[in-house]
Amino acid sequence: MSDFQPHPDLAPPASTVGVIGWLRVNLFSSPMNTLLTLVGLFIIYSLIVPALDWAIFSASWVGTDKNACSHDGACWVFVGQRLDFFIYGFYPKAEYWRINVVFVLLALLIIPQMIENAPYKGYLGWFFLIGFPIIAGILLLGGIFGLEPVPTDKWGGLALTLVISFVGIVAALPIGILLALGRRSEMPVIRTMCVVFIELWRGVPLISVLFMASVMLPLFLPEGTNFNKLLRALIGITMFQSAYMAEVIRGGLQAIPKGQYEAAAALGLGYWKSMGLIILPQALKLVIPGIVNTFIALFKDTTLVLIIGLFDVLQTVASAIVDPAWPEVSTEGFIFAAFVFWVFCFTMSRYSIALERKLHTGHQR
Amino acid sequence: MQNTAPQETTETQKAGIIQMIGVHKWYGEFHVLKDINLLVDQGERIVICGPSGSGKSTLIRCINRLEEHQQGQIIVDSVELTSDLKHIEQIRREVGMCFQHFNLFPHLTVLENLTLAPIWVRKVPKAEAEEIGMKYLERVKIPDQAQKFPGQLSGGQQQRVAIARSLCMNPNIMLFDEPTSALDPEMIKEVLDTMIELAETGMTMICVTHEMGFAKTVANRVIFMDEGQIVEENEPNEFFDNPQHERTKLFLSQILAH
Ligand SMILES: Nc1ncnc2c1ncn2[C@@H]1O[C@H](COP(=O)(O)OP(=O)(O)O)[C@@H](O)[C@H]1O
Ligand SMILES: [Mg+2]
């Protein structure tokens, strides 16, 4: 009788690994597959080359007015010339620096959040959520510390888009958490209130929420109350998004095993501590994709504020392309607007993936 | 009698640190606990056994009010369990519990699992809590796993972490609900050994388990439950060698058969 001999670990066959292996398995596994690959390559080629040519190689990049546009390709001169309007809206030119400061501050606060092991990350995070909105609000609104007041109907462009999304995101998350907890509460009154709130806001389109906020709300308010239009839109959007957020988070709460609640309770943790320290960290982690999805939807939904006469970035573009000084630039304008939205949404999406990876600590059964 | 001078309180504690008097519980229409009377003295070690569904878990979960009883009295450490949240949280601080499925917090490291309750419930400073945590990790013989996440440990190690987590709160009473029944056979012993060591420190323990060897080694009393009732209780040798009721005999023959 021979002893047990462990079989040595062997490398996998060469034809199944590496670039060649991948190509063979995925693109050229059969004659039919090879044909499809070639047809696909041809289609991609015949689409990409003219697109690149239009957008980059034959495009006009420098100049000051429509005469600089060659009409062989895209006229990015238009975007360059109207960029201030797309970014700052009707904000007074002399005060652009205030928006710039807010942008820079925003970037400075977001970047450390994306870097692993950045120092003071926690403090910066709290400052981002509490201190930053106050500073940004003072800078943008003005009216104190000798800053010239800028009424909100002068706000517009990318700045307005970011203001609305930031407020919507930062306010909708905590409200959504409270609503989700309330919906699972054992107290019938609280539960019913949360259910009614959520279902009410979820059941109407955002566009009608905004419409009601701008047209109908003033009818109910006492005569002479002047409720800022932007503020009304912000409240409407926040309520609407927090209802969605609540449902996303509720999904996460339901996925946490009962044993986690019991272990927390058995250790003597009260309701808020067990929620804040045990349940929510796990539940939120589970639903990061859903939360970010809601954020992305919110970011894009900000364009709907056009219905109440606010000029977000898309609306500034839409109004600039009908300017007779710049004929035939609508394609460039909309591509630019789409690109702006894509950059922000894609960044959020990548960040959520990175966050998910970082927080993945393995689950017990 | 129990709320006069502190000394007297200690006396009552010694005599009956847990008192269940005429306890009934229903799940809806289902009468799950029927007239439970149980007195546990400080330092006593009780093993509860009985067929699945007989109400063992429910009984011990009533002691720290993970389940609510509807009739009768439960007094733990001279505090009666009512719907008063203050009392409930006070008792939960004094009563540790280990579950069949460990219920460690998967998003926290082992050491964080241990320090969380001392820091947030007992308000112990972080450094001191970590010291206590390491002390108990050493006692359950896995100090080298402190920085790992529960998902990276074996079942036996996880259950020992769970025991250490309860001990960090410095409880007077420990409850165990089938702590070894989710474990692979080769890991049962390490957990039982930990529990035996704990018993040697004089901890008051109530343990739902079918590990009869463990019961014989550490228990002062074995309780047999069936259909929501305490059928029989006795000191371990008498209980195993000379069971009084037919049901107890049947149950013992079944679990000893394999
Ligand atoms: N939350 C619950 N709702 C309804 N019935 C339950 C619940 N928990 C347990 N039961 C029932 O109560 C009985 C006793 O359960 P349990 O105490 O877990 O038994 P054991 O631990 O002895 O196996 C079982 O029949 C079980 O189905
Ligand atoms: Mg059970």
Side-chain angles (χ1 to χ4, degrees):
Chain A
M1 273 280 280
S2 66
D3 284 339
F4 165 70
Q5 288 285 335
H7 194 290
D9 295 341
L10 301 178
S15 62
T16 63
V17 293
V19 180
I20 307 282
W22 186 88
L23 285 178
R24 189 175 289 173
V25 170
N26 291 292
L27 299 179
F28 302 103
S29 57
S30 67
M32 185 61 187
N33 219 343
T34 308
L35 184 70
L36 285 176
T37 302
L38 293 177
V39 170
L41 282 177
F42 176 73
I43 293 175
I44 292 173
Y45 174 81
S46 50
L47 284 176
I48 295 256
V49 170
L52 281 181
D53 183 57
W54 179 85
I56 297 173
F57 303 116
S58 300
S60 324
W61 294 91
V62 284
T64 51
D65 59 15
K66 64 178 175 185
N67 298 325
C69 300
S70 69
H71 296 286
D72 298 332
C75 183
W76 300 122
V77 179
F78 159 71
V79 173
Q81 289 297 306
R82 303 307 311 271
L83 198 57
D84 280 356
F85 179 52
F86 298 160
I87 294 177
Y88 305 101
F90 304 103
Y91 216 77
K93 221 176 177 87
E95 310 294 330
Y96 279 1
W97 65 271
R98 283 152 56 175
I99 293 184
N100 289 338
V101 169
V102 172
F103 280 162
V104 170
L105 205 56
L106 183 69
L108 285 182
L109 287 168
I110 285 182
I111 288 166
Q113 297 302 319
M114 305 223 171
I115 301 173
E116 207 156 330
N117 302 326
Y120 309 116
K121 206 165 165 173
Y123 295 111
L124 286 177
W126 282 110
F127 179 72
F128 183 48
L129 295 182
I130 295 162
F132 171 71
I134 296 173
I135 294 174
I138 290 173
L139 272 171
L140 293 178
L141 277 169
I144 75 175
F145 302 130
L147 293 169
E148 190 200 322
V150 181
T152 53
D153 47 10
K154 286 248 181 332
W155 299 14
L158 182 61
L160 180 69
T161 298
L162 290 180
V163 165
I164 298 173
S165 327
F166 181 86
V167 172
I169 288 172
V170 168
L173 187 59
I175 299 176
I177 290 175
L178 290 179
L179 285 171
L181 291 177
R183 191 164 187 170
R184 288 169 57 83
S185 164
E186 281 166 17
M187 287 176 267
V189 177
I190 291 184
R191 191 172 55 232
T192 312
M193 273 168 33
C194 291
V195 170
V196 168
F197 182 96
I198 292 170
E199 297 304 340
L200 217 61
W201 287 96
R202 261 195 340 157
V204 284
L206 179 57
I207 209 156
S208 65
V209 170
L210 290 172
F211 203 66
M212 276 169 49
S214 79
V215 181
M216 290 175 63
L217 197 62
L219 300 180
F220 299 122
L221 290 174
E223 194 87 26
T225 340
N226 190 13
F227 212 59
N228 184 297
K229 195 158 74 174
L230 176 60
L231 187 59
R232 276 181 291 176
L234 286 176
I235 293 175
I237 288 180
T238 303
M239 294 298 129
F240 185 81
Q241 290 298 332
S242 51
Y244 273 92
M245 193 59 75
E247 287 301 280
V248 171
I249 293 167
R250 189 165 67 98
L253 291 173
Q254 274 168 346
I256 303 301
K258 201 160 152 262
Q260 293 289 307
Y261 293 85
E262 290 174 354
L267 285 168
L269 292 163
Y271 178 79
W272 291 107
K273 280 178 191 160
S274 51
M275 288 302 146
L277 298 166
I278 309 298
I279 306 302
L280 280 173
Q282 297 182 60
L284 293 180
K285 188 178 82 183
L286 282 177
V287 293
I288 287 173
I291 292 177
V292 175
N293 203 21
T294 313
F295 286 170
I296 290 175
L298 162 64
F299 189 80
K300 293 188 293 186
D301 280 351
T302 55
T303 55
L304 292 178
V305 294
L306 81 98
I307 194 108
I308 55 173
L310 294 172
F311 272 60
D312 80 308
V313 66
L314 181 62
Q315 199 53 23
T316 53
V317 171
S319 67
I321 56 176
V322 296
D323 181 353
W326 291 94
E328 293 170 37
V329 288
S330 51
T331 315
E332 287 87 339
F334 285 126
I335 287 183
F336 169 75
F339 181 71
V340 169
F341 279 100
W342 181 79
V343 166
F344 281 93
C345 295
F346 185 66
T347 311
M348 284 194 260
S349 156
R350 297 310 299 182
Y351 179 59
S352 95
I353 292 173
L355 199 62
E356 262 176 80
R357 276 214 197 104
K358 196 187 126 216
L359 294 179
H360 183 79
T361 56
H363 265 274
Q364 69 183 54
R365 278 180 300 131
Chain B
M1 220 181 85
Q2 344 156 327
N3 48 9
T4 47
Q7 288 90 344
E8 272 187 40
T9 324
T10 338
E11 280 310 303
T12 32
Q13 270 179 18
K14 285 250 185 292
I17 192 168
I18 300 171
Q19 307 175 25
M20 300 181 91
I21 304 158
V23 173
H24 291 260
K25 172 168 180 62
W26 289 263
Y27 283 124
E29 291 287 301
F30 177 53
H31 198 171
V32 56
L33 292 182
K34 302 168 185 164
D35 192 28
I36 300 292
N37 289 287
L38 176 64
L39 278 181
V40 182
D41 292 339
Q42 182 144 36
E44 249 197 313
R45 297 173 298 276
I46 312 275
V47 162
I48 302 179
C49 59
S52 173
S54 56
K56 310 178 295 294
S57 300
T58 309
L59 187 152
I60 70 165
R61 289 155 61 87
C62 281
I63 296 172
N64 64 353
R65 193 105 173 165
L66 289 183
E67 302 292 350
E68 194 179 325
H69 62 284
Q70 280 98 29
Q71 202 179 309
Q73 263 188 316
I74 302 179
I75 300 163
V76 181
D77 230 354
S78 333
V79 180
E80 177 165 4
L81 275 171
T82 57
S83 50
D84 186 340
L85 273 180
K86 279 245 155 47
H87 287 177
I88 294 174
E89 281 173 21
Q90 185 187 345
I91 286 172
R92 285 177 179 169
R93 283 195 291 270
E94 306 299 330
V95 179
M97 184 163 199
C98 291
F99 302 86
Q100 184 175 0
H101 294 291
F102 332 131
N103 300 350
L104 294 176
F105 306 131
H107 63 303
L108 301 175
T109 63
V110 164
L111 189 58
E112 284 166 347
N113 264 278
L114 267 61
T115 56
L116 183 116
I119 291 174
W120 290 93
V121 180
R122 290 233 190 263
K123 313 281 179 219
V124 176
K126 187 164 180 249
E128 197 182 317
E130 286 181 350
E131 215 171 287
I132 300 171
M134 286 312 295
K135 183 179 99 185
Y136 283 110
L137 273 188
E138 263 154 47
R139 239 173 82 180
V140 300
K141 305 197 176 62
I142 36 176
D144 47 327
Q145 312 286 348
Q147 300 308 327
K148 288 200 184 161
F149 286 97
Q152 298 167 297
L153 304 186
S154 74
Q157 290 173 324
Q158 290 194 40
Q159 191 61 290
R160 284 186 282 156
V161 171
I163 294 173
R165 177 175 70 179
S166 297
L167 293 179
C168 283
M169 285 294 282
N170 197 16
N172 292 330
I173 300 164
M174 284 288 292
L175 309 175
F176 294 86
D177 191 0
E178 306 206 31
T180 56
S181 53
L183 296 177
D184 292 335
E186 75 263 28
M187 293 168 188
I188 291 178
K189 185 173 179 301
E190 65 188 53
V191 171
L192 289 181
D193 285 348
T194 309
M195 290 168 63
I196 291 169
E197 275 173 39
L198 183 62
E200 284 162 359
T201 67
M203 175 70 72
T204 311
M205 289 164 69
I206 300 187
C207 191
V208 176
T209 183
H210 293 158
E211 294 295 332
M212 291 308 143
F214 172 79
K216 282 181 192 159
T217 322
V218 304
N220 305 95
R221 253 193 296 165
V222 180
I223 290 176
F224 174 68
M225 279 186 78
D226 196 13
E227 293 181 19
Q229 281 171 290
I230 294 181
V231 176
E232 178 164 354
E233 61 175 288
N234 217 331
E235 56 93 20
N237 289 331
E238 273 297 294
F239 179 85
F240 290 111
D241 299 342
N242 189 17
Q244 302 296 309
H245 289 76
E246 276 313 309
R247 279 189 224 184
T248 320
K249 285 177 195 163
L250 182 66
F251 175 75
L252 285 176
S253 69
Q254 277 164 350
I255 62 164
L256 294 176
H258 58 259

